[in-house]
Coordinates of all heavy atoms in Angstrom, one line a residue:
M1 N 21.3 3.0 12.2 CA 21.8 1.7 11.6 C 23.3 1.7 11.6 O 23.9 2.8 11.2 CB 21.3 1.6 10.1 CG 19.7 1.7 10.0 SD 19.2 1.6 8.3 CE 19.6 3.2 7.7
D2 N 23.8 0.6 11.9 CA 25.3 0.4 11.8 C 25.6 -0.3 10.5 O 24.7 -0.3 9.6 CB 25.9 -0.2 13.0 CG 25.3 -1.6 13.3 OD1 24.8 -2.2 12.4 OD2 25.4 -2.0 14.5
A3 N 26.7 -1.0 10.4 CA 27.1 -1.6 9.1 C 26.2 -2.8 8.7 O 26.0 -3.0 7.5 CB 28.5 -2.1 9.2
T4 N 25.6 -3.5 9.7 CA 24.9 -4.7 9.3 C 23.5 -4.8 10.0 O 22.9 -5.8 9.8 CB 25.7 -5.9 9.7 OG1 26.0 -5.9 11.1 CG2 27.0 -6.0 8.9
N5 N 23.2 -3.8 10.9 CA 21.9 -4.0 11.6 C 21.4 -2.7 12.1 O 22.0 -1.6 12.0 CB 22.1 -4.9 12.8 CG 20.9 -5.8 13.0 OD1 19.7 -5.4 12.7 ND2 21.1 -7.0 13.6
F6 N 20.1 -2.7 12.5 CA 19.5 -1.6 13.2 C 20.1 -1.5 14.6 O 20.4 -2.6 15.3 CB 18.0 -1.7 13.3 CG 17.3 -1.7 12.0 CD1 16.9 -2.8 11.3 CD2 17.1 -0.4 11.4 CE1 16.3 -2.7 10.1 CE2 16.4 -0.3 10.1 CZ 16.0 -1.5 9.5
E7 N 20.3 -0.4 15.2 CA 20.9 -0.2 16.5 C 19.8 -0.5 17.6 O 20.2 -0.8 18.7 CB 21.5 1.1 16.7 CG 22.8 1.2 15.8 CD 23.6 2.5 16.0 OE1 23.1 3.4 16.7 OE2 24.6 2.6 15.3
V8 N 18.6 -0.5 17.2 CA 17.5 -1.0 18.1 C 16.6 -1.9 17.3 O 16.6 -1.7 16.0 CB 16.6 0.2 18.7 CG1 17.4 1.1 19.6 CG2 16.0 1.0 17.6
S9 N 16.0 -2.9 17.9 CA 15.2 -3.9 17.1 C 13.8 -3.4 17.0 O 13.1 -4.0 16.1 CB 15.3 -5.3 17.7 OG 14.8 -5.2 19.1
S10 N 13.3 -2.5 17.8 CA 12.0 -2.0 17.7 C 11.9 -0.6 18.2 O 12.7 -0.1 18.9 CB 11.0 -2.9 18.5 OG 11.2 -2.7 19.9
I11 N 10.8 0.1 17.7 CA 10.6 1.4 18.1 C 9.1 1.6 18.2 O 8.3 1.0 17.4 CB 11.2 2.4 17.0 CG1 11.0 3.9 17.5 CG2 10.6 2.2 15.6 CD1 11.8 4.9 16.7
T12 N 8.6 2.4 19.2 CA 7.2 2.6 19.4 C 6.9 4.1 19.2 O 7.6 5.0 19.7 CB 6.8 2.3 20.8 OG1 7.1 0.9 21.1 CG2 5.3 2.5 21.1
I13 N 5.9 4.4 18.3 CA 5.6 5.7 18.0 C 4.1 5.9 18.1 O 3.3 4.9 18.3 CB 6.0 6.1 16.5 CG1 5.4 5.2 15.5 CG2 7.5 6.1 16.4 CD1 5.6 5.6 14.1
Q14 N 3.6 7.1 18.0 CA 2.2 7.4 18.0 C 1.7 7.4 16.6 O 2.4 7.8 15.6 CB 1.9 8.8 18.6 CG 2.4 8.9 20.1 CD 1.7 8.1 21.0 OE1 0.4 8.0 21.0 NE2 2.4 7.4 21.9
K15 N 0.4 7.1 16.4 CA -0.2 7.1 15.1 C -0.1 8.5 14.5 O -0.2 9.5 15.2 CB -1.7 6.8 15.3 CG -2.5 6.4 14.1 CD -3.8 5.7 14.4 CE -4.8 6.6 15.1 NZ -6.1 5.9 15.2
G16 N 0.3 8.5 13.2 CA 0.5 9.8 12.5 C 2.0 10.2 12.5 O 2.3 11.1 11.7
Q17 N 2.8 9.6 13.3 CA 4.2 10.0 13.3 C 5.0 9.2 12.2 O 4.6 8.1 11.7 CB 4.8 9.7 14.7 CG 4.3 10.6 15.8 CD 5.1 10.4 17.1 OE1 5.3 9.2 17.5 NE2 5.4 11.5 17.8
S18 N 6.2 9.7 11.9 CA 7.1 9.0 11.0 C 8.3 8.7 11.8 O 8.5 9.1 13.0 CB 7.5 10.0 9.9 OG 6.4 10.3 9.1
I19 N 9.2 7.9 11.3 CA 10.5 7.6 11.9 C 11.6 8.1 11.0 O 11.4 8.2 9.8 CB 10.7 6.1 12.2 CG1 10.7 5.3 10.9 CG2 9.6 5.6 13.2 CD1 11.1 3.8 11.1
T20 N 12.7 8.5 11.6 CA 13.9 8.8 10.8 C 15.0 7.8 11.0 O 15.3 7.5 12.2 CB 14.4 10.2 11.3 OG1 13.4 11.2 11.1 CG2 15.7 10.6 10.5
L21 N 15.4 7.2 9.9 CA 16.5 6.2 10.0 C 17.8 6.9 9.6 O 17.8 7.6 8.6 CB 16.2 5.1 9.0 CG 15.0 4.2 9.4 CD1 14.9 3.0 8.3 CD2 15.1 3.6 10.8
V22 N 18.8 6.7 10.5 CA 20.1 7.3 10.3 C 21.1 6.2 10.0 O 21.3 5.3 10.8 CB 20.5 8.1 11.5 CG1 21.9 8.8 11.3 CG2 19.4 9.1 11.9
D23 N 21.7 6.3 8.8 CA 22.8 5.4 8.5 C 24.1 6.0 9.0 O 24.6 7.0 8.4 CB 22.8 5.2 7.0 CG 23.7 4.1 6.5 OD1 24.5 3.5 7.3 OD2 23.7 3.8 5.3
T24 N 24.7 5.4 10.1 CA 25.8 6.0 10.7 C 27.2 5.6 10.2 O 28.2 6.1 10.7 CB 25.8 5.7 12.2 OG1 25.9 4.3 12.4 CG2 24.5 6.2 12.9
V25 N 27.1 4.8 9.2 CA 28.4 4.3 8.6 C 28.3 4.4 7.1 O 27.3 4.7 6.5 CB 28.7 2.8 9.0 CG1 29.0 2.8 10.5 CG2 27.5 2.0 8.6
A26 N 29.5 4.2 6.4 CA 29.5 4.3 4.9 C 29.2 3.0 4.3 O 30.0 2.4 3.5 CB 30.9 4.8 4.5
V27 N 28.0 2.5 4.6 CA 27.5 1.2 4.1 C 26.1 1.4 3.6 O 25.3 2.0 4.3 CB 27.5 0.1 5.2 CG1 26.9 -1.2 4.7 CG2 29.0 -0.1 5.7
P28 N 25.8 0.9 2.4 CA 24.4 1.1 1.9 C 23.4 0.1 2.6 O 23.8 -0.9 3.0 CB 24.5 0.8 0.4 CG 25.7 -0.1 0.3 CD 26.6 0.3 1.4
H29 N 22.2 0.6 2.6 CA 21.1 -0.3 3.1 C 19.9 0.0 2.2 O 19.7 1.1 1.7 CB 20.6 0.1 4.5 CG 21.7 -0.1 5.6 ND1 22.1 -1.4 6.0 CD2 22.5 0.8 6.2 CE1 23.0 -1.2 6.9 NE2 23.3 0.1 7.1
I30 N 19.1 -1.0 2.0 CA 17.8 -0.9 1.2 C 16.7 -1.4 2.2 O 16.6 -2.6 2.5 CB 17.8 -1.7 -0.1 CG1 18.9 -1.2 -1.0 CG2 16.4 -1.6 -0.8 CD1 19.1 -2.0 -2.3
I31 N 15.9 -0.5 2.6 CA 14.8 -0.8 3.6 C 13.5 -0.9 2.9 O 13.1 0.0 2.2 CB 14.8 0.3 4.7 CG1 16.2 0.5 5.3 CG2 13.8 -0.1 5.8 CD1 16.9 -0.7 5.9
Q32 N 12.9 -2.1 3.1 CA 11.5 -2.3 2.6 C 10.6 -3.0 3.6 O 11.1 -3.3 4.7 CB 11.7 -3.3 1.3 CG 12.5 -2.7 0.2 CD 12.6 -3.5 -1.0 OE1 12.1 -4.7 -1.0 NE2 13.2 -3.0 -2.1
N33 N 9.4 -3.2 3.2 CA 8.4 -3.9 4.1 C 8.7 -5.4 4.1 O 8.8 -6.0 3.0 CB 7.0 -3.6 3.6 CG 6.6 -2.2 3.5 OD1 6.8 -1.6 2.5 ND2 6.0 -1.6 4.5
G34 N 8.8 -5.9 5.3 CA 9.0 -7.4 5.4 C 10.0 -7.7 6.5 O 10.3 -6.8 7.3
S35 N 10.5 -8.9 6.5 CA 11.4 -9.3 7.6 C 12.2 -10.5 7.1 O 11.8 -11.2 6.2 CB 10.6 -9.6 8.9 OG 9.7 -10.7 8.6
W36 N 13.3 -10.7 7.8 CA 14.1 -11.9 7.7 C 13.6 -12.9 8.7 O 13.5 -12.6 9.9 CB 15.6 -11.6 8.0 CG 16.3 -10.8 7.0 CD1 16.5 -9.4 7.0 CD2 16.9 -11.3 5.8 NE1 17.2 -9.0 5.9 CE2 17.4 -10.1 5.1 CE3 17.0 -12.5 5.2 CZ2 18.1 -10.2 3.9 CZ3 17.7 -12.6 4.0 CH2 18.2 -11.5 3.3
V37 N 13.3 -14.1 8.2 CA 12.9 -15.2 9.1 C 13.8 -16.4 8.8 O 13.8 -16.9 7.7 CB 11.4 -15.6 8.8 CG1 10.9 -16.7 9.7 CG2 10.5 -14.4 9.0
N38 N 14.5 -16.8 9.9 CA 15.5 -17.9 9.8 C 16.4 -17.8 8.5 O 16.6 -18.8 7.8 CB 14.7 -19.2 9.7 CG 13.9 -19.4 11.0 OD1 14.4 -19.1 12.1 ND2 12.7 -20.0 10.9
G39 N 16.9 -16.6 8.3 CA 17.8 -16.4 7.2 C 17.2 -16.2 5.8 O 17.9 -16.1 4.8
T40 N 15.9 -16.2 5.7 CA 15.2 -16.0 4.5 C 14.5 -14.7 4.4 O 13.7 -14.4 5.4 CB 14.2 -17.2 4.2 OG1 15.0 -18.4 4.2 CG2 13.6 -17.0 2.8
A41 N 14.6 -13.9 3.4 CA 13.9 -12.7 3.2 C 12.5 -12.9 2.9 O 12.1 -13.7 2.0 CB 14.5 -11.8 2.1
K42 N 11.6 -12.3 3.7 CA 10.1 -12.5 3.5 C 9.5 -11.1 3.3 O 9.0 -10.5 4.2 CB 9.5 -13.1 4.7 CG 10.1 -14.5 5.1 CD 9.5 -15.6 4.3 CE 10.0 -16.9 4.9 NZ 9.6 -18.1 4.0
P43 N 9.4 -10.7 2.0 CA 8.7 -9.4 1.8 C 7.2 -9.5 2.1 O 6.6 -10.6 1.9 CB 8.9 -9.2 0.3 CG 9.9 -10.2 -0.2 CD 9.9 -11.3 0.8
A44 N 6.7 -8.5 2.8 CA 5.3 -8.5 3.2 C 4.9 -7.1 3.6 O 5.8 -6.4 4.1 CB 5.1 -9.5 4.3
I45 N 3.7 -6.8 3.3 CA 3.2 -5.4 3.8 C 1.9 -5.6 4.5 O 1.0 -6.2 4.0 CB 3.1 -4.4 2.6 CG1 2.7 -3.1 3.1 CG2 2.2 -4.9 1.5 CD1 3.0 -1.9 2.1
E46 N 1.9 -5.2 5.8 CA 0.7 -5.3 6.6 C -0.3 -4.3 6.1 O 0.0 -3.3 5.7 CB 1.1 -5.1 8.0 CG 2.1 -6.0 8.6 CD 3.5 -5.4 8.5 OE1 3.7 -4.4 7.8 OE2 4.5 -6.0 9.1
P47 N -1.6 -4.7 6.3 CA -2.7 -3.7 6.1 C -2.4 -2.4 6.9 O -2.1 -2.5 8.1 CB -4.0 -4.4 6.6 CG -3.6 -5.9 6.6 CD -2.2 -6.0 6.8
G48 N -2.5 -1.3 6.2 CA -2.3 0.0 6.9 C -0.9 0.5 7.0 O -0.6 1.6 7.5
A49 N 0.1 -0.4 6.5 CA 1.5 0.0 6.5 C 1.8 1.0 5.4 O 1.2 0.8 4.3 CB 2.4 -1.2 6.4
P50 N 2.6 2.0 5.6 CA 3.1 2.8 4.5 C 4.0 1.9 3.6 O 4.7 1.1 4.1 CB 3.9 3.9 5.2 CG 4.4 3.3 6.5 CD 3.3 2.4 6.9
K51 N 3.9 2.1 2.3 CA 4.8 1.4 1.4 C 6.2 1.9 1.6 O 6.5 3.1 1.4 CB 4.3 1.5 0.0 CG 5.3 1.1 -1.1 CD 5.0 -0.3 -1.6 CE 5.9 -0.7 -2.7 NZ 7.0 -1.7 -2.3
V52 N 7.2 1.1 1.9 CA 8.6 1.5 2.2 C 9.5 0.9 1.2 O 9.5 -0.4 1.0 CB 9.0 1.1 3.6 CG1 10.4 1.5 3.9 CG2 8.0 1.7 4.7
D53 N 10.3 1.7 0.5 CA 11.3 1.2 -0.4 C 12.4 2.4 -0.4 O 12.3 3.2 -1.3 CB 10.8 0.9 -1.8 CG 11.9 0.3 -2.7 OD1 13.0 0.0 -2.2 OD2 11.6 0.1 -3.9
V54 N 13.3 2.4 0.5 CA 14.2 3.5 0.7 C 15.6 3.0 0.7 O 16.0 2.1 1.4 CB 13.9 4.2 2.1 CG1 14.8 5.4 2.3 CG2 12.4 4.6 2.2
Q55 N 16.4 3.7 -0.1 CA 17.8 3.3 -0.3 C 18.7 4.3 0.5 O 18.5 5.5 0.3 CB 18.2 3.3 -1.8 CG 17.4 2.3 -2.6 CD 18.1 1.9 -3.9 OE1 19.3 2.1 -4.0 NE2 17.3 1.4 -4.8
F56 N 19.6 3.8 1.2 CA 20.6 4.6 1.9 C 22.0 4.3 1.2 O 22.3 3.2 1.0 CB 20.7 4.2 3.4 CG 19.5 4.6 4.2 CD1 18.3 3.7 4.1 CD2 19.4 5.7 4.9 CE1 17.2 4.1 4.8 CE2 18.2 6.0 5.6 CZ 17.1 5.2 5.6
S57 N 22.7 5.4 1.0 CA 24.0 5.2 0.4 C 25.2 5.1 1.4 O 26.2 4.6 1.1 CB 24.4 6.4 -0.5 OG 23.3 6.8 -1.3
G58 N 24.9 5.5 2.6 CA 25.9 5.5 3.7 C 26.0 6.9 4.2 O 26.1 7.9 3.4
N59 N 26.1 7.1 5.6 CA 26.2 8.4 6.2 C 25.1 9.3 5.7 O 25.4 10.5 5.4 CB 27.6 9.0 6.0 CG 28.7 8.2 6.6 OD1 28.6 7.8 7.8 ND2 29.7 7.8 5.8
D60 N 23.9 8.8 5.7 CA 22.7 9.6 5.3 C 21.5 9.3 6.2 O 21.6 8.3 7.0 CB 22.4 9.6 3.8 CG 22.3 8.1 3.3 OD1 22.5 7.2 4.1 OD2 21.9 8.0 2.1
S61 N 20.5 10.1 6.1 CA 19.3 9.8 6.9 C 18.1 10.1 6.1 O 18.1 11.0 5.2 CB 19.3 10.6 8.2 OG 19.2 11.9 8.0
K62 N 17.0 9.3 6.3 CA 15.8 9.5 5.6 C 14.6 9.2 6.5 O 14.7 8.4 7.4 CB 15.7 8.6 4.4 CG 16.8 9.0 3.4 CD 16.8 8.3 2.1 CE 17.8 8.9 1.2 NZ 18.2 8.1 0.1
Q63 N 13.5 9.9 6.2 CA 12.3 9.7 6.9 C 11.4 8.6 6.3 O 11.4 8.5 5.1 CB 11.5 11.0 6.9 CG 10.6 11.2 8.1 CD 9.9 12.5 8.2 OE1 9.3 13.0 7.2 NE2 10.2 13.3 9.2
I64 N 10.8 7.8 7.1 CA 9.9 6.7 6.7 C 8.5 6.9 7.4 O 8.5 7.1 8.6 CB 10.5 5.4 7.0 CG1 11.7 5.1 6.1 CG2 9.4 4.2 6.8 CD1 12.4 3.8 6.3
G65 N 7.5 6.9 6.6 CA 6.2 7.1 7.2 C 5.4 8.2 6.4 O 5.8 8.5 5.3
P66 N 4.4 8.8 7.0 CA 3.9 8.5 8.3 C 3.2 7.2 8.4 O 2.7 6.6 7.4 CB 2.9 9.7 8.6 CG 2.4 10.0 7.2 CD 3.6 9.8 6.3
F67 N 3.2 6.7 9.7 CA 2.4 5.5 10.0 C 1.0 5.9 10.5 O 0.9 6.5 11.6 CB 3.1 4.7 11.1 CG 4.4 4.0 10.5 CD1 5.6 4.8 10.4 CD2 4.4 2.7 10.2 CE1 6.8 4.2 9.9 CE2 5.6 2.1 9.7 CZ 6.8 2.9 9.6
T68 N 0.0 5.8 9.7 CA -1.3 6.4 10.0 C -2.3 5.4 10.6 O -3.4 5.7 10.9 CB -1.9 6.9 8.7 OG1 -2.0 5.9 7.8 CG2 -1.1 8.1 8.2
T69 N -1.8 4.1 10.8 CA -2.7 3.1 11.3 C -2.0 2.4 12.5 O -0.8 2.2 12.5 CB -3.0 2.0 10.3 OG1 -3.5 2.6 9.1 CG2 -3.9 0.9 10.8
A70 N -2.7 2.2 13.6 CA -2.1 1.5 14.8 C -1.9 0.1 14.4 O -2.6 -0.6 13.7 CB -3.1 1.6 16.0
G71 N -0.8 -0.4 15.0 CA -0.5 -1.8 14.7 C 1.0 -2.1 14.8 O 1.8 -1.2 15.3
T72 N 1.4 -3.3 14.4 CA 2.9 -3.7 14.4 C 3.3 -3.9 13.0 O 2.7 -4.7 12.2 CB 3.0 -5.0 15.2 OG1 2.6 -4.7 16.5 CG2 4.5 -5.4 15.2
F73 N 4.3 -3.2 12.6 CA 4.8 -3.2 11.2 C 6.3 -3.6 11.1 O 7.1 -3.1 11.9 CB 4.6 -1.8 10.6 CG 3.1 -1.3 10.7 CD1 2.7 -0.5 11.7 CD2 2.2 -1.9 9.8 CE1 1.4 -0.1 11.8 CE2 0.8 -1.5 9.9 CZ 0.4 -0.6 10.9
K74 N 6.6 -4.4 10.2 CA 7.9 -4.9 10.1 C 8.6 -4.4 8.8 O 8.1 -4.4 7.7 CB 7.9 -6.5 10.0 CG 7.3 -7.0 11.3 CD 7.6 -8.5 11.5 CE 7.2 -8.8 12.9 NZ 7.3 -10.2 13.2
L75 N 9.9 -4.0 9.1 CA 10.7 -3.5 8.0 C 12.0 -4.3 8.1 O 12.4 -4.7 9.1 CB 11.1 -2.0 8.2 CG 9.9 -1.0 8.3 CD1 10.4 0.4 8.6 CD2 9.0 -1.1 7.1
Y76 N 12.7 -4.4 6.9 CA 13.9 -5.1 6.9 C 14.8 -4.6 5.8 O 14.4 -3.8 4.9 CB 13.7 -6.6 6.7 CG 13.3 -7.0 5.2 CD1 14.1 -8.0 4.6 CD2 12.3 -6.4 4.6 CE1 13.8 -8.4 3.3 CE2 11.9 -6.8 3.3 CZ 12.7 -7.8 2.6 OH 12.4 -8.2 1.4
C77 N 16.1 -4.9 5.9 CA 17.1 -4.5 4.9 C 17.3 -5.6 4.0 O 17.6 -6.8 4.4 CB 18.4 -4.1 5.6 SG 19.7 -3.7 4.4
T78 N 17.1 -5.4 2.7 CA 17.2 -6.5 1.7 C 18.6 -6.9 1.5 O 18.9 -8.0 0.9 CB 16.6 -6.1 0.4 OG1 17.3 -5.0 -0.2 CG2 15.1 -5.6 0.5
I79 N 19.6 -6.1 1.9 CA 21.0 -6.4 1.7 C 21.6 -7.3 2.9 O 22.3 -8.2 2.6 CB 21.8 -5.1 1.6 CG1 21.4 -4.3 0.5 CG2 23.3 -5.5 1.5 CD1 22.1 -2.9 0.4
H80 N 21.2 -7.0 4.1 CA 21.8 -7.6 5.3 C 20.9 -8.6 5.9 O 19.9 -8.2 6.6 CB 22.3 -6.5 6.2 CG 23.3 -5.6 5.6 ND1 23.0 -4.3 5.4 CD2 24.6 -5.8 5.3 CE1 24.1 -3.7 4.8 NE2 25.1 -4.6 4.7
Q81 N 21.3 -9.9 5.9 CA 20.5 -10.9 6.5 C 20.3 -10.7 8.0 O 21.3 -10.4 8.7 CB 21.3 -12.3 6.3 CG 20.4 -13.5 6.6 CD 21.2 -14.8 6.4 OE1 22.1 -15.1 7.2 NE2 21.0 -15.5 5.3
G82 N 19.1 -10.8 8.4 CA 18.8 -10.7 9.8 C 18.5 -9.2 10.3 O 18.2 -9.0 11.4
M83 N 18.6 -8.3 9.3 CA 18.5 -6.9 9.7 C 17.0 -6.5 9.7 O 16.4 -6.1 8.7 CB 19.3 -6.0 8.7 CG 19.3 -4.5 9.1 SD 20.6 -3.6 8.2 CE 20.1 -2.0 8.6
N84 N 16.4 -6.6 10.9 CA 14.9 -6.4 11.0 C 14.7 -5.2 12.0 O 15.4 -5.1 13.0 CB 14.3 -7.6 11.7 CG 14.2 -8.8 10.7 OD1 14.1 -8.7 9.5 ND2 14.4 -10.0 11.3
L85 N 13.6 -4.5 11.7 CA 13.1 -3.5 12.6 C 11.6 -3.6 12.7 O 10.9 -3.8 11.7 CB 13.4 -2.1 12.1 CG 12.9 -0.9 12.9 CD1 13.6 -0.8 14.3 CD2 13.1 0.4 12.2
T86 N 11.1 -3.6 13.9 CA 9.6 -3.6 14.2 C 9.2 -2.2 14.6 O 9.8 -1.7 15.5 CB 9.3 -4.6 15.3 OG1 9.7 -5.9 14.9 CG2 7.8 -4.7 15.6
V87 N 8.2 -1.7 13.9 CA 7.6 -0.4 14.3 C 6.3 -0.6 14.9 O 5.4 -1.2 14.3 CB 7.5 0.5 13.0 CG1 6.9 1.9 13.4 CG2 8.9 0.7 12.4
I88 N 6.1 -0.2 16.2 CA 4.9 -0.4 16.9 C 4.2 1.0 16.9 O 4.8 1.9 17.4 CB 5.1 -0.9 18.3 CG1 5.8 -2.3 18.2 CG2 3.8 -1.0 19.1 CD1 6.5 -2.7 19.5
V89 N 3.0 1.0 16.4 CA 2.2 2.3 16.3 C 1.0 2.2 17.2 O 0.2 1.3 17.1 CB 1.8 2.6 14.8 CG1 1.1 3.9 14.7 CG2 3.0 2.5 13.9
K90 N 1.0 3.2 18.1 CA -0.1 3.1 19.1 C -1.1 4.3 18.9 O -0.7 5.3 18.4 CB 0.5 3.2 20.5 CG 1.4 2.1 20.8 CD 1.5 1.7 22.3 CE 2.2 0.4 22.4 NZ 2.0 -0.2 23.7
Ligands
CU1 CU1 21.4 -3.1 5.5

């Protein structure tokens, strides 16, 4: 993650894996289940998604998961409009 967005918009992993999010700048992020749609925050948790509510202070990294169900799961940053990440679990 940079100051205002994810450096990739999606990531594909295998069932049972976790992801590590790295905050590469001195900017906080709060990552939760959901997405930004046309500038509006839409909290939502898909069936089978791990509950995500992770705070980054800046220049830190944290693990999210594991994702134990195959599917497409959306994460977003509640602070930064448009900051979306799609996790595809196969
Ligand atoms: Cu953010």
Side-chain angles (χ1 to χ4, degrees):
M1 301 179 288
D2 60 22
T4 59
N5 216 331
F6 294 100
E7 293 184 355
V8 296
S9 60
S10 72
I11 183 169
T12 301
I13 60 172
Q14 300 294 316
K15 196 161 64 171
Q17 291 185 319
S18 298
I19 61 172
T20 301
L21 293 182
V22 181
D23 189 352
T24 60
V25 292
V27 173
H29 298 286
I30 299 173
I31 308 304
Q32 296 182 356
N33 302 87
S35 59
W36 289 96
V37 179
N38 297 325
T40 302
K42 303 276 190 191
I45 183 162
E46 302 89 352
K51 167 98 174 107
V52 177
D53 184 7
V54 180
Q55 298 202 20
F56 293 82
S57 314
N59 296 310
D60 52 356
S61 67
K62 292 185 178 167
Q63 206 174 57
I64 290 177
F67 292 80
T68 57
T69 303
T72 299
F73 303 101
K74 297 196 167 175
L75 303 178
Y76 76 126
C77 176
T78 64
I79 299 174
H80 297 112
Q81 191 181 76
M83 184 166 172
N84 290 326
L85 177 67
T86 301
V87 180
I88 299 162
V89 181
K90 301 208 168 201

